[in-house]
Amino acid sequence: MGRVLVMLTAATAVVACSVATVMVRRRVKRRRKWRKVVGLLKDLEESFETPLGRLRQMVDAIAVEMQAGLVSEGGSKLKMLLTFVDDLPNGSERGTYYALHLGGSYFRIIRVHLGGQRSSLEVQDIERHSIPTSLLNSTSEVLFDFLASSLQRFIEKEGHESISSQDVKRELAFTFSFPVKQTSLSSGVLIKWTKGFAISEMAGEDIAECLQGAVDRRGLDIHVAALVNDTVGALSYGHYHDPDTIAAVVFGTGSNACYLERTDAIIKCQNPRTTSGSMVVNMEWGNFWSSRLPRTSYDIELDAESLNSNDMGFEKMIGGMYLGDIVRRVILRMSQESDIFGPISSILSTPFVLRTNSVSAMHEDDTPELHEVATILKHLGVPNVPLKVRKLVVKICDVVTRRAARLAAAGISGILKKLGRDGSVGEGRRRSSDKQMMRRTVVAVEGGLYSNYRMFREYMDEALRDILGDDVARQVVIKAMEDGSSIGSALLLASSHSVRTISNI
């Protein structure tokens, strides 16, 4: 009997040791996998790093590219497009005007009434709609007929108290958020599509004429009287309320900027014909490129799989359309090299399935258990991940967003440097300590990425202070606005009815 007990005890000990060994091995294996993930995170942080020295080199590069783009067509990665906007609204405008804004993921229609004073600006009606994805790869006729039908429904709501009852055509500004080479305030040809649009037969077409044709086919009494880039509209709206506004930036689905330049600095334009001595320049900064940009394997893969590969490199690092997909690609790679996220999800392997608004929600999740992170991961086919993995995802969102925001700040600082508003006496000269040189400068900012994503906004503002220094940063006002590009386009239309054409550019 004693021998049996001894044998049972020994067997139990062997089993216990085996179980313990298996548990220890599993624990060691998990630790190894976690160390691998931590290593991937460290590599991510290092490759996405944007130290102050690198940002200042980018500022210099942007200012140089801006100057080169003003000298000759094709002389720079920045297109530096003329807009034929030389007089910005000043508050004296009167009348009722319309604007249709085609963006990257939405379109808006508004009606604005102006009473001759800044305080009398009245947005009488506004509609916002998502753009059906079927339109992105449709035809020009389908796209513009859709916009015209939306305009028709908007106007039909006005009832009998319409402007047409007085035999006066409605005047409309077409706010167009894509690169256009303008030939006047009211005309311009499409250079290329961005933000996921791919309507091939549109390249080289006059955008205003396309919309006017669709409007005419429906018998609408509307004159497409202005073609305005969204950044130019935002600058117009900002300047209307604050004359110190000299630049505007859009951080939305994509990103772009414009600013007010002296006409004598626009060397590629031989005869600018402006009365104000200045003109708004549309930079199309999404295409900016420099060896100083912290491009990673994730950026290279995203670019290769995009509709416009080898193009819009800067926009793909800071635009709202792309941040979510960069985060997705990081999570996917970690899933492929470790099983901390469980089996690889087919959903997670789908490009652009993770939107930037979801990244914002995860990044700013302040619940103790990170419930929002868990919910979004579940929608991506990654359920039941432990809290430490959810914290890892928040860190990934932080790294990607911080890089984007700091690069955006470098872009704005580049404009200020070009204009001598960065605290320098002049281009290439030493920074001045004389506060007399530091003029108040307002930069209008529009777009959901900036207005709806608090961490992006805070990181960008912080980087601006780092780059410019506290004394200069205090003189630079970043003024957020909503619907400014649409309203501002209507204001531009109100302030100028003349068509200005330059024949020798």
Side-chain angles (χ1 to χ4, degrees), residues 332 335-336 338-348 380-383:
L332 178 61
S335 297
Q336 293 168 337
S338 170
D339 63 358
I340 65 166
F341 290 97
I344 297 176
S345 161
S346 59
I347 301 174
L348 186 60
L380 293 174
V382 186

Side-chain angles (χ1 to χ4, degrees), residues 71-295:
V71 171
S72 63
E73 294 289 352
S76 167
K77 299 176 184 68
L78 300 175
K79 294 191 179 298
M80 306 300 284
L81 301 172
L82 305 183
T83 64
F84 298 85
V85 174
D86 60 325
D87 285 312
L88 292 168
N90 58 24
S92 63
E93 295 77 18
R94 294 178 178 273
T96 300
Y97 301 89
Y98 297 75
L100 186 154
H101 182 179
L102 180 64
S105 57
Y106 64 89
F107 71 95
R108 297 187 189 108
I109 306 173
I110 67 166
R111 181 175 70 249
V112 174
H113 181 73
L114 307 170
Q117 296 179 351
R118 286 189 172 91
S119 59
S120 63
L121 169 62
E122 179 186 1
V123 180
Q124 295 181 328
D125 197 4
I126 183 167
E127 286 185 359
R128 301 181 184 87
H129 301 280
S130 296
I131 297 173
T133 54
S134 59
L135 291 179
L136 303 183
N137 296 286
S138 63
T139 66
S140 59
E141 185 175 351
V142 170
L143 172 63
F144 286 98
D145 280 349
F146 172 80
L147 296 176
S149 66
S150 301
L151 266 173
Q152 185 173 21
R153 288 192 298 272
F154 182 87
I155 289 170
E156 286 172 350
K157 292 194 312 178
E158 295 179 351
H160 299 294
E161 297 295 324
S162 68
I163 194 170
S164 61
S165 63
Q166 303 172 18
D167 296 325
V168 177
K169 270 198 171 186
R170 295 175 177 85
E171 295 218 322
L172 176 123
F174 188 15
T175 315
F176 194 69
S177 304
F178 304 89
V180 167
K181 181 176 176 58
Q182 295 205 219
T183 52
S184 74
L185 181 63
S186 59
S187 61
V189 298
L190 176 68
I191 296 174
K192 62 183 176 182
W193 286 109
T194 57
K195 308 180 183 75
F197 275 78
I199 303 175
S200 58
E201 83 274 13
M202 282 288 298
E205 293 290 321
D206 189 301
I207 299 303
E209 286 185 4
C210 289
L211 180 58
Q212 187 67 65
V215 165
D216 293 342
R217 285 193 295 272
R218 289 188 170 266
L220 301 179
D221 200 20
I222 295 175
H223 175 218
V224 182
L227 180 63
V228 183
N229 183 265
D230 56 344
T231 60
V232 180
L235 174 57
S236 168
Y237 186 60
H239 190 273
Y240 182 84
H241 290 288
D242 190 333
D244 286 338
T245 306
I246 50 87
V249 187
V250 171
F251 297 113
T253 304
S255 184
N256 189 23
C258 73
Y259 73 104
L260 195 61
E261 179 62 270
R262 301 186 332 270
T263 50
D264 61 3
I266 309 175
I267 300 172
K268 66 182 178 181
C269 179
Q270 297 291 324
N271 184 19
R273 296 183 188 174
T274 67
T275 57
S276 64
S278 60
M279 182 183 290
V280 177
V281 174
N282 170 14
M283 292 175 61
E284 289 297 334
W285 80 359
N287 203 45
F288 170 72
W289 188 253
S290 166
S291 61
R292 297 300 176 184
L293 282 171
R295 199 182 195 205

